[in-house]
């Protein structure tokens, strides 16, 4: 409603961004530091590697926690074509992560990096739209 009325939704977006960031920050820090110990304590020593994988994935999950709810800004601003470009970029990143990995540990690392980059890009673009700004020329090309 704010976007339709004023051409931007920065105030409500900023408030939501702040709440998401601060509500996810402490749990993410705790999981990043202690996930291995938590997995071993709860599930046993044989789950140590799962705790290590969780530790690798925490930054990506934190970014997803913030970015995903705010990505609706792409639809509010009627930028579905840009969302398509983002999804293609994500597909290429994920495919590359799997293709260039030689073991499961490397796959998890590269997937975490790929998704983190995707969520950061998605967040930056949604911030631009929330402010009522345009995107770089690369994203403005029509997809036919």
């Amino acid at each position: 409603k704010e976007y339709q009325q004023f051409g931007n939704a920065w105030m409500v977006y900023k408030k939501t961004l702040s709440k998401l960031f601060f509500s996810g920050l402490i749990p993410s820090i705790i999981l990043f530091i202690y996930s291995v110990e938590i997995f071993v304590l709860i599930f046993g020593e044989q789950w140590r590697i799962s705790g290590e994988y969780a530790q690798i994935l925490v930054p990506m999950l934190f970014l997803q926690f913030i970015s995903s709810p705010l990505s609706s800004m792409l639809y509010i601003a009627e930028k579905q074509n840009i969302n398509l470009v983002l999804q293609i970029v994500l597909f290429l990143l994920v495919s590359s992560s799997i293709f260039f990995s030689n073991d499961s540990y490397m796959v998890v690392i590269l997937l975490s990096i790929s998704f983190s980059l995707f969520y950061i890009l998605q967040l930056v673009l949604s911030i631009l739209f929330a402010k009522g700004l345009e995107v770089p020329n690369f994203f403005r090309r029509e997809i036919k």
Side-chain angles (χ1 to χ4, degrees):
K1 186 175 180 177
E2 183 179 329
Y3 187 84
Q4 291 172 343
Q5 189 174 7
F6 302 112
N8 73 70
W10 179 239
M11 296 308 290
V12 69
Y13 185 96
K14 186 170 60 171
K15 185 177 176 182
T16 305
L17 175 63
S18 177
K19 286 181 180 181
L20 288 168
F21 179 84
F22 288 111
S23 62
L25 185 62
I26 299 299
S28 295
I29 290 171
I30 291 169
L31 281 174
F32 185 74
I33 295 170
Y34 298 110
S35 62
V36 175
E37 290 82 2
I38 291 170
F39 272 70
V40 169
L41 179 68
I42 294 174
F43 302 113
E45 186 62 38
Q46 66 273 21
W47 284 79
R48 176 173 292 280
I49 190 74
S50 298
E52 292 173 12
Y53 286 167
Q55 188 175 41
I56 293 167
L57 294 170
V58 165
M60 177 208 70
L61 294 171
F62 175 67
L63 289 168
Q64 181 185 29
F65 179 77
I66 296 168
S67 178
S68 289
L70 297 172
S71 69
S72 62
M73 195 65 228
L74 295 162
Y75 300 105
I76 293 168
E78 298 180 0
K79 304 294 185 183
Q80 290 87 343
N81 59 332
I82 293 174
N83 191 36
L84 175 61
V85 172
L86 282 174
Q87 295 302 320
I88 291 169
V89 167
L90 179 61
F91 173 76
L92 294 173
L93 287 170
V94 169
S95 299
S96 299
S97 297
I98 295 168
F99 182 76
F100 291 113
S101 298
N102 50 2
D103 63 12
S104 60
Y105 197 77
M106 184 57 71
V107 170
V108 173
I109 291 170
L110 291 177
L111 284 175
S112 183
I113 292 168
S114 295
F115 275 96
S116 294
L117 291 172
F118 169 76
Y119 291 129
I120 290 168
L121 182 57
Q122 187 179 56
L123 195 58
V124 167
L125 289 171
S126 66
I127 287 170
L128 289 174
F129 299 142
K131 289 183 173 185
L133 302 174
E134 281 300 315
V135 296
N137 287 335
F138 172 78
F139 289 100
R140 279 197 249 158
R141 297 178 194 194
E142 289 295 318
I143 298 173
K144 296 179 182 181

